[in-house]
Amino acid sequence: MGVATFKVALSGAPGADHAIRVFLVHLSVNLAWAPLFFGAKMVRTAALLNFVLLGAIVATVIEFAQISTTAAWLLFPYGLW
């Protein structure tokens, strides 16, 4: 994720700022999952959040692909995980 985001951030391409904002939304959703699942034991909420996270990953890949196909492909292993 870091290398892909770095590639997009340094590209200077139009839309790179928007792509980074989409990534940051995705990262927020990602960071919210563990405390819900492990800390609060809110398993159902965490399961629903997984679907939101999947959508956020797809949105990030789409945005990154418009800037750099390499950056988009670098996110695929993460998306599969």
Side-chain angles (χ1 to χ4, degrees), residues 5-72:
T5 305
F6 188 72
K7 250 182 118 36
V8 170
L10 292 184
S11 71
D17 289 343
H18 177 70
I20 296 300
R21 282 192 295 275
V22 171
F23 171 77
L24 291 174
V25 168
H26 147 264
L27 191 58
S28 321
V29 174
N30 186 341
L31 292 173
W33 184 85
L36 276 175
F37 186 79
F38 294 111
K41 307 280 192 244
M42 298 175 70
V43 178
R44 288 183 183 165
T45 305
L48 290 173
L49 193 60
N50 270 340
F51 290 106
V52 174
L53 182 57
L54 182 59
I57 293 168
V58 169
T60 302
V61 168
I62 290 169
E63 290 296 323
F64 277 21
Q66 294 174 9
I67 308 299
S68 164
T69 54
T70 303

